[in-house]
Every structure is written in C-alpha cells, then in structure tokens.
Amino acid sequence: TYTYRSWISGLCLTGRVAEAKEFVDGLHRQDISLNEMCYSALLHGYCQAGRLEDALRTARDMVERGVNVDLVCYGVLMNGNLRNHDICGAFSLLDEMRDLRMRPGHVIYTSMIDAYGKSGKLDAAVETWEVMIGEGCRPNVVTYTALVNGLCKAGYIDKAELFMKEMLTTRCFPNTVTFGCVLDYLTTIGNMESAVQLHHAMREGLLTNNATYNMLIRGFCKLGKMQEASSVLAQMVESGLFPD
RNA sequence: ACUGAAAAUCCA
C-alpha cells in the first residue's frame, strides 16, 4: 500500500489521473484493497483536474468498500469544492462531517479562510477564524498566512500586521510566504520604499527567494524604474538565485 | 521524511 500510494500520487502530480484511476481499478480486480491514503491521493488528482464529480463518486466508492473517509480526504474534497467556488458543496461536506462527529481541523479551516480571503469576503474569513479559535483549534503558519494574504489583497494592511504581531507571540513565526504577502501588497500599490526596506529585513532573516525578488522587480518595472529593477536583478543573481 | 490534504509572485 505504501508503494501504491506513492505511485498514485506521482501519476496525479503529473496530471495522469486517468492512469491512476485505471491503476486503482486494476488493483481492485486483483482483490487488493487500498487504504485511505491511496484514495486521498486519487481524490486529490481528480480535484486538481477540476473533476469534482469523479472525486465525489470515488468517495462514495470508498464508503461502499468500507474504506474510512478520513480528515485528509475531506480536506481534499473541501479544497476542491472551494477552488471551484462551489460553496454549497463545501457546506454539505461540512454537514456530512458534523454528522460523523468529525471536526474540521486546522487544515480545512485554512482552506476556508483562504477561499473567503480570495473572494474578498474578509468578514467571513475572520468569522471562520473565530469559530476555529472557539473550537480550541490552533492555527499554524499556513493558517495565519492565508488570512494575512486575504487581508493584504483587500487592502487591510493594518489588520494584516496586527495578525503578524500576534504570530510573534505564538510558536509560528511569519515565514517567507507570510512576508511575501505583505511585500506583494507594497509592490502592488507602488510603495517601493517600504518594499525595499522590508525585503532588506527579509534578506537578513534568510527569508528571500525567487518569488520575493520577482515582486520587487515587477514593482519597479510597473513604475518604469528600470534602473532600480536591474539592480535588484543583479542582487538576485548575487544571492545565488536563478531568475525565472 | 516535501511520504495521502491547506498559504505569497509569475505561469492565460
């Protein structure tokens, strides 16, 4: 099963869901039963390909075969529904989980907060955050970052910084992605002075990468400041990164 | 242990 899990996951990662499905069917013909990890890999493949129907059908198949649809499987399905803007589907999954007395957990809350943030519903995102806290569920760096990203994208930079300050008091320190959200905000509104300042601080903390440099360069280019952009590019190469 | 799920730029 360990081998099959990797193989199915690998096929799906390279966009070969159909082959993964055939592989699974083949195993079933040999009366080999798969565990929930193999199935979640397949579910993930379907969701990545936007084939929600097939994913749900597979989930029903799991139930029929007596395979436990665990939290990870629900997480995959939730994320697939949310990425498809299928709020109804997402809520029916939540109901289903509630009936099974399963709690969403921080990963699923992260998906929800991220989805709300990406669609500009910051009030709903924060509300979800509070429900999560109320359940005693601890957010991690990714959860915080999803919220910070939504707040930055909506222009609530002060709110975002408030949450980042809160992170410093917990065990999850803001990482490259978290700071990247703020950096993207600054470069998007053209506040390059603050952006450069932040990037400097990030560089000291070894929190820069291709993406952060890309944001800076894009910001300068958008303002027509090609001279500045080229010096950032030079520094990028100096840092041992490979511009893409 | 990036092992089956979640976060930033770009990628039409």
Side-chain angles (χ1 to χ4, degrees):
Chain A
T1 315
Y2 294 94
T3 317
Y4 296 146
R5 180 208 336 171
S6 302
W7 181 250
I8 293 168
S9 179
L11 284 175
C12 293
L13 274 180
T14 50
R16 294 151 69 183
V17 206
E19 283 178 57
K21 168 65 173 154
E22 277 179 33
F23 180 68
V24 167
D25 287 342
L27 292 176
H28 282 149
R29 277 193 294 273
Q30 297 172 54
D31 281 326
I32 295 171
S33 55
L34 299 168
N35 63 12
E36 54 272 29
M37 297 187 189
C38 296
Y39 272 103
S40 67
L42 183 58
L43 293 177
H44 190 215
Y46 276 135
C47 288
Q48 294 271 69
R51 296 168 60 176
L52 263 262
E53 309 288 324
D54 292 315
L56 291 173
R57 196 172 41 70
T58 303
R60 281 194 296 270
D61 194 42
M62 290 176 70
V63 176
E64 277 174 26
R65 290 177 186 276
V67 180
N68 179 38
V69 182
D70 68 5
L71 201 58
V72 174
C73 293
Y74 274 106
V76 173
L77 293 172
M78 272 296 288
N79 199 42
N81 275 353
L82 291 171
R83 281 192 352 173
N84 247 25
H85 304 108
D86 187 346
I87 310 295
C88 293
F91 274 113
S92 71
L93 281 171
L94 279 180
D95 286 342
E96 209 174 299
M97 291 175 63
R98 182 174 42 74
D99 292 344
L100 294 168
R101 295 151 95 192
M102 290 174 77
R103 282 297 128 209
H106 66 285
V107 173
I108 290 181
Y109 278 123
T110 302
S111 289
M112 294 173 62
I113 290 165
D114 181 54
Y116 280 131
K118 281 190 165 69
S119 53
K121 299 181 174 176
L122 275 302
D123 45 346
V126 172
E127 195 179 311
T128 304
W129 178 275
E130 279 158 5
V131 169
M132 176 183 71
I133 301 291
E135 282 189 3
C137 183
R138 286 268 170 213
N140 66 7
V141 204
V142 181
T143 317
Y144 270 104
T145 302
L147 183 59
V148 166
N149 182 40
L151 292 169
C152 285
K153 290 280 194 296
Y156 300 123
I157 185 66
D158 43 348
K159 270 275 192 188
E161 282 176 339
L162 218 58
F163 276 102
M164 287 177 73
K165 286 222 170 69
E166 184 181 308
M167 293 178 76
L168 303 179
T169 71
T170 68
R171 256 189 39 189
C172 46
F173 198 81
N175 62 17
T176 300
V177 179
T178 321
F179 283 116
C181 295
V182 178
L183 186 68
D184 181 57
Y185 166 79
L186 293 172
T187 58
T188 298
I189 65 169
N191 187 345
M192 297 311 291
E193 198 180 332
S194 300
V196 167
Q197 200 180 343
L198 174 59
H199 201 259
H200 260 286
M202 289 169 68
R203 202 157 51 90
E204 312 236 310
L206 304 176
L207 294 174
T208 55
N209 63 14
N210 260 345
T212 64
Y213 276 98
N214 287 342
M215 295 171 198
L216 268 191
I217 291 170
R218 195 204 49 177
F220 278 127
C221 289
K222 217 162 64 176
L223 295 173
K225 300 192 172 184
M226 304 310 290
Q227 193 63 251
E228 314 275 11
S230 82
S231 77
V232 173
L233 179 57
Q235 191 177 61
M236 183 176 179
V237 175
E238 234 173 77
S239 307
L241 295 173
F242 299 92
D244 49 9

